[in-house]
């Protein structure tokens, strides 16, 4: 298996579940959450003074998720052929609009990370990918592959997609296609912040193997009561996780979510590599 290794020590019930819930559309769970951005905003101001001019919430969210996988690797699993696999690396897909207009073309970038990556590493990798899109456009990648498929006549195209899905089911899809495909990876992330709207609940794709979709919205004010009953105002960012429940149980994902939120609220921890990296079971 090119993208990962099959897990053979899972409990019997876990291995049966993918045969009961065959498609990702059968097994989607959604959770809505938010986090206080005061720590993130303070770090962003500090890093911009240090020369990281374009750093923003997106970089911190991606870095927090990479850090989460380093401690809870089961959220980086995927299903293929009703079997559960541990992914070999961290692949985050993101839709990018080349121009913020109604006519602006949209493409997808794939970002590959290591569990040891820091916020600085995330900043460099994200910005390099965005620069390539804005300056040249990914014409040899996702867009080019989609354009080739688009030239195929309708009935033949339907058969071609079926054939690709069959290859993917058995793990025979060529690696150059999975390297381009926005449907293969650890996470698909989308930002509603640039549109100034709340995050959406985005479905998972049955094709491919992306087990989680993360959408986050624009910053908004929130009023809350402190322990003394006083009303206080803070700024938060809402986000929605849509996940394939077959990759891990609810208790495990809840613990991963706590790690994710902790790194969002206290993002200074992302400036250093994690002290330890946890490996998934065999």
């Amino acid at each position: 298996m090119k993208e990962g290794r099959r897990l053979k020590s899972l409990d019997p019930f876990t291995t049966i579940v993918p045969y009961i819930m065959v498609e990702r559309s059968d097994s989607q769970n959604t959770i809505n959450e938010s986090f206080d951005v005061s720590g993130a905003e303070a770090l962003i101001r500090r890093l911009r003074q240090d020369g990281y001019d374009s750093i923003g919430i997106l970089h911190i969210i991606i870095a927090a998720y990479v850090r989460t996988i380093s401690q809870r690797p089961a959220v980086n699993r995927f299903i293929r052929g009703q079997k559960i696999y541990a992914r070999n690396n961290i692949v985050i897909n993101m839709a990018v609009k080349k121009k913020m207009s109604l006519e602006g073309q949209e493409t997808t970038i794939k970002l590959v990370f290591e569990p040891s990556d820091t916020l600085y590493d995330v900043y460099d990798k994200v910005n390099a990918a965005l620069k390539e899109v804005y300056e040249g456009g990914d014409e040899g990648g996702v867009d080019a592959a989609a354009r080739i498929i688009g030239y195929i006549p309708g009935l033949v195209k339907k058969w071609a997609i079926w054939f690709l899905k069959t290859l993917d089911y058995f793990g025979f899809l060529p690696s150059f296609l999975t390297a381009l495909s926005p449907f293969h990876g650890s996470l698909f992330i989308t930002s509603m912040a640039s549109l100034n709207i709340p995050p959406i609940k985005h479905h998972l794709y049955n094709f491919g193997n992306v087990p989680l979709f993360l959408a986050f919205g624009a910053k908004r004010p929130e009023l809350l009561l402190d322990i003394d009953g006083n009303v206080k105002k803070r700024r938060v960012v809402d986000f929605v996780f849509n996940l394939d429940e077959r990759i891990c149980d609810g208790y495990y994902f809840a613990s991963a979510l706590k790690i994710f939120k902790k790194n969002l609220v206290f993002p200074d921890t992302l400036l250093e590599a994690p002290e330890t990296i946890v490996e998934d079971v065999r």
Side-chain angles (χ1 to χ4, degrees), residues 1 13 35 41 68 99 122 135 137-138 148 157 164 167 170 174-176 193 200 202 214 234 239 269 279:
M1 177 56 60
F13 182 77
F35 69 96
E41 289 180 326
T68 300
K99 184 178 180 182
V122 169
E135 291 184 354
D138 193 22
I148 291 171
K157 186 187 302 182
L164 290 175
L167 291 178
F170 291 106
S175 57
F176 78 90
I200 63 171
H202 198 290
L214 169 62
R234 65 174 185 171
F239 62 90
T269 57
E279 292 190 6

Side-chain angles (χ1 to χ4, degrees), residues 130-234:
L130 291 176
K131 181 180 179 182
E132 182 179 348
V133 167
Y134 294 143
E135 291 184 354
D138 193 22
E139 291 300 325
V142 178
D143 296 337
R147 189 174 296 107
I148 291 171
I149 295 175
Y151 289 143
I152 302 174
L155 288 177
V156 180
K157 186 187 302 182
K158 186 173 182 179
W159 179 88
I161 297 299
W162 170 85
F163 182 64
L164 290 175
K165 287 182 176 180
T166 302
L167 291 178
D168 191 43
Y169 181 89
F170 291 106
F172 296 146
L173 199 65
S175 57
F176 78 90
L177 286 179
T178 58
L180 294 175
S181 169
F183 306 107
H184 294 76
S186 309
L187 173 75
F188 205 115
I189 185 170
T190 184
S191 169
M192 304 290 102
S194 58
L195 306 177
N196 199 32
I197 61 174
I200 63 171
K201 174 192 172 185
H202 198 290
H203 61 87
L204 296 176
Y205 301 102
N206 285 331
F207 179 60
N209 55 31
V210 175
L212 291 110
F213 207 112
L214 169 62
F216 68 95
K219 300 172 188 175
R220 64 171 180 84
E222 181 180 73
L223 300 178
L224 71 160
L225 291 176
D226 65 15
I227 194 171
D228 298 318
N230 301 312
V231 177
K232 293 202 170 183
K233 186 177 180 180
R234 65 174 185 171

Side-chain angles (χ1 to χ4, degrees), residues 15 19 30 33 42 59 74 77-78 80 103 115 128 148 153 172 181 200 231 266 270 277:
T15 61
Y19 288 91
T30 304
E33 263 286 8
H59 299 93
R77 295 173 180 172
F78 63 91
R80 172 164 288 154
E103 297 78 21
I148 291 171
F172 296 146
S181 169
I200 63 171
V231 177
F266 304 104
L270 302 172
I277 295 175

Side-chain angles (χ1 to χ4, degrees), residues 8-165:
K8 300 181 179 180
S9 63
L10 300 173
D11 63 83
F13 182 77
T14 300
T15 61
I16 291 173
V17 168
Y19 288 91
I20 298 172
M21 294 181 286
V22 178
E23 303 285 359
R24 261 174 290 281
S25 57
D26 300 329
S27 53
Q28 297 181 85
N29 284 337
T30 304
I31 185 166
N32 300 270
E33 263 286 8
S34 62
F35 69 96
D36 185 336
V37 298
S38 57
E41 289 180 326
L43 178 59
I44 288 170
R45 287 193 296 270
R46 196 166 76 242
L47 289 177
R48 285 180 178 175
Q49 291 176 353
D50 292 340
Y52 297 89
D53 300 333
S54 60
I55 195 163
I57 291 292
L58 173 66
H59 299 93
I60 292 177
I61 290 176
I62 292 177
Y65 195 73
V66 170
R67 184 59 49 89
T68 300
I69 289 179
S70 78
Q71 304 304 304
R72 295 293 184 271
V75 298
N76 198 26
R77 295 173 180 172
F78 63 91
I79 307 294
R80 172 164 288 154
Q82 272 61 69
K83 306 295 190 302
I84 303 175
Y85 292 82
R87 188 174 296 280
N88 290 332
N89 51 16
I90 302 171
V91 181
I92 295 181
N93 302 329
M94 183 170 65
V96 177
K97 204 163 179 66
K98 298 179 183 180
K99 184 178 180 182
M100 294 304 293
S101 69
L102 295 177
E103 297 78 21
Q105 183 182 351
E106 186 174 87
T107 187
T108 304
I109 60 175
K110 291 177 72 84
L111 305 162
V112 181
F113 300 100
E114 297 298 327
S116 59
D117 279 350
T118 66
L119 178 57
Y120 299 117
D121 299 315
V122 169
Y123 178 84
D124 290 339
K125 292 179 181 181
V126 170
N127 285 16
L130 291 176
K131 181 180 179 182
E132 182 179 348
V133 167
Y134 294 143
E135 291 184 354
D138 193 22
E139 291 300 325
V142 178
D143 296 337
R147 189 174 296 107
I148 291 171
I149 295 175
Y151 289 143
I152 302 174
L155 288 177
V156 180
K157 186 187 302 182
K158 186 173 182 179
W159 179 88
I161 297 299
W162 170 85
F163 182 64
L164 290 175
K165 287 182 176 180

